[in-house]
Amino acid sequence: MDSQQARIVIVGAGQAGARAAEALRAAGHRGPISLIGEEEHLPYERPQLSKAMLIDREAVPALIRQAREWRDLDIALLTSSRVVAADAQRRAVVLANGQELSFDRLLLTTGTRVRRLPELDNGPLPVRYLRGIGDALALRRELQPGRRVALVGGGVVGLEVASAATGRGCQVTIIEKAEGLLPQIGSPSLGRFLRHLHSSKGAEIICGAVVVRTTSYGLELGDGRTVPVDIALVGVGVEPVTELAAQLGLEFQHGIRVTPTGATAADGIFAAGDVAEQWSRSHERWMRVENWANAQNQAIATARCMAGIETAYDAPPWFWSDQYDANIQVVGNPAGGHEIVRGDVDAGRFTTISVRDDEIIGGTTVNAARDMAVLRRLVAARKPVRKSELENPAFQLKRLLAA
């Protein structure tokens, strides 16, 4: 079959699925494309859910495209639709309403679902999770001046919501079971900065603590303490949505394993975005990359491959987070090597660089976007470096690009 005429079904209409659909048309694909999403909304950008939508009462979701634009691309967008079955032999998926869609190529962009804490659900305290537009709107209504808000989890989502809640006049407590904030990044300097940042804005930070249950007064910790709380937001990570992958007989453990072209082990079946498990050179392991940039760019590369244009994707992980007046960016694997700090952590403008075997494998920046633009290229290039140069504050990082 002419690859440009193949029937393509995309399951998941988030960032990855929507960008893949666009990229297929941009790559010249002429065959039918169906984009299936469970939410009632048109595909939209998710980063704002824990940022602008919580701070600004008038903020609305940024749609990737309007309905008319999807029609102009001749993409069949099915919202409020859930795929309940998939058959690799029959080359078909079945929706909850019984509708069956046949495919020649299938792209799974099913993403993730929030990891829940059952011990906190259905208790006397309101407990929220943040995943979709409805969650963000409900949480925004709760963030009223004077309310006591607890963030269970000191990761990106918890810290961004803490920033928004503080800005709305709430009394904020951040509870993290690790010994520092943003533990998944593993940068001691960044963790120290974030602790100072949130404390300076009035947030109480409790690390090394586990929440065991809710009470009518708040959250009870493992050591017997009770934190007075009116509402809690749980942000302790996500889990990949792999039910369809299991039906299709795909290999998965922490996600659906894919090649650099997005292909799975099954012929004609691909995966992209948060659900895809990729090999990370900077981490030296298979992993899912849960961020906006990967959901977009890996999906675009995968779509091009599905359209017959070989496009390998191996960009290092990169994401950003805005908290108060701090722009934080992370690339690669900051925890994987020796950390070198450039700039002033206490002043809130610095860069960290992680070096392993004379190679830059990761780094972070706070209010230093120009450094990050260079770091991303250096991590991708894998050029040999000298620690002595990086430790010299007068040395310009961009010189390494020309070396």
Side-chain angles (χ1 to χ4, degrees):
M1 171 181 289
D2 179 359
S3 62
Q4 296 288 2
Q5 297 289 350
R7 298 167 299 174
I8 291 179
V9 170
I10 303 172
V11 182
Q15 182 81 21
R19 294 305 187 191
E22 292 178 328
L24 282 164
R25 289 295 186 227
H29 185 78
R30 299 184 298 276
I33 300 173
S34 297
L35 176 60
I36 307 168
E38 292 191 13
E39 292 191 59
E40 62 179 317
H41 311 283
L42 296 173
Y44 60 90
E45 302 275 1
R46 288 189 183 273
Q48 63 189 322
L49 298 183
S50 56
K51 300 180 178 74
M53 282 195 65
L54 297 183
I55 298 170
D56 183 356
R57 291 181 181 275
E58 305 301 322
V60 295
L63 298 179
I64 292 175
R65 283 180 181 269
Q66 299 293 330
R68 172 183 53 78
E69 296 175 301
W70 290 112
R71 291 193 295 269
D72 290 344
L73 285 177
D74 194 21
I75 292 171
L77 175 59
L78 287 73
T79 57
S80 300
S81 300
R82 183 167 63 93
V83 176
V84 296
D87 190 316
Q89 299 301 317
R90 293 181 54 245
R91 314 299 276 184
V93 299
V94 181
L95 306 186
N97 65 4
Q99 182 181 357
E100 183 171 296
L101 297 175
S102 298
F103 64 83
D104 298 304
R105 291 179 184 156
L106 176 66
L107 174 59
L108 297 177
T109 55
T110 48
T112 58
R113 59 173 64 96
V114 294
R115 182 175 292 118
R116 303 186 72 90
L117 295 181
E119 61 270 28
L120 304 188
D121 293 342
N122 304 315
L125 183 76
V127 174
R128 301 280 184 262
Y129 297 85
L130 182 57
R131 186 59 183 162
I133 290 175
D135 299 325
L137 293 175
L139 183 59
R140 184 166 72 184
R141 290 191 293 269
E142 299 271 12
L143 299 183
Q144 301 297 328
R147 294 209 78 188
R148 298 170 299 179
V149 180
L151 293 313
V152 182
V156 173
V157 170
L159 296 180
E160 289 183 348
V161 175
S163 173
T166 301
R168 296 285 297 273
C170 300
Q171 299 176 37
V172 171
T173 302
I174 302 168
I175 304 170
E176 167 58 49
K177 69 177 182 179
E179 295 303 321
L181 299 180
L182 219 59
Q184 68 271 36
I185 302 305
S187 166
S189 300
L190 180 59
R192 178 163 62 89
F193 165 77
L194 288 171
R195 187 158 194 153
H196 171 74
L197 173 66
H198 285 270
S199 295
S200 70
K201 301 297 183 179
E204 180 183 5
I205 299 172
I206 305 174
C207 289
V210 177
V211 179
V212 295
R213 68 187 184 102
T214 64
T215 72
S216 57
Y217 301 103
L219 298 176
E220 183 178 315
L221 306 184
D223 61 7
R225 285 181 291 170
T226 296
V227 179
V229 170
D230 297 314
I231 179 176
L233 175 89
V234 176
V236 292
V238 295
E239 299 171 342
V241 178
T242 55
E243 287 83 356
L244 293 180
Q247 292 184 27
L248 292 163
L250 299 178
E251 176 186 3
F252 66 89
Q253 184 175 1
H254 304 293
I256 303 171
R257 187 160 291 187
V258 299
T259 69
T261 63
T264 70
D267 182 49
I269 299 178
F270 300 76
D274 290 2
V275 76
E277 188 178 33
Q278 310 163 59
W279 178 258
S280 170
R281 295 186 309 180
S282 53
H283 292 81
E284 294 188 315
R285 63 181 174 88
W286 289 92
M287 62 183 291
R288 287 186 304 102
V289 181
E290 302 166 5
N291 62 52
W292 175 93
N294 180 75
Q296 172 172 286
N297 299 329
Q298 188 246 345
I300 290 173
T302 299
R304 289 174 58 82
C305 293
M306 294 175 70
I309 304 173
E310 194 76 6
T311 308
Y313 181 82
D314 63 353
W318 166 76
F319 74 90
W320 81 95
S321 175
D322 293 325
Q323 299 170 32
Y324 306 106
D325 56 354
N327 172 254
I328 300 151
Q329 298 190 49
V330 178
V331 65
N333 181 17
H338 172 71
E339 182 175 88
I340 297 171
V341 181
R342 295 167 59 90
D344 190 337
V345 175
D346 294 332
R349 185 179 296 275
F350 65 95
T351 297
T352 74
I353 303 174
S354 181
V355 179
R356 180 181 68 210
D357 299 330
D358 297 324
E359 176 188 334
I360 297 176
I361 60 168
T364 71
T365 60
V366 173
N367 296 325
R370 289 185 179 179
D371 276 2
M372 180 53 67
V374 177
L375 268 181
R376 291 178 65 186
R377 295 172 64 185
L378 291 174
V379 174
R382 309 188 71 176
K383 289 185 177 181
V385 296
R386 296 186 182 92
K387 289 182 182 178
S388 58
E389 291 181 332
L390 299 176
E391 291 168 344
N392 178 1
F395 181 78
Q396 294 184 340
L397 292 179
K398 63 182 180 181
R399 289 178 54 187
L400 295 172
L401 296 174

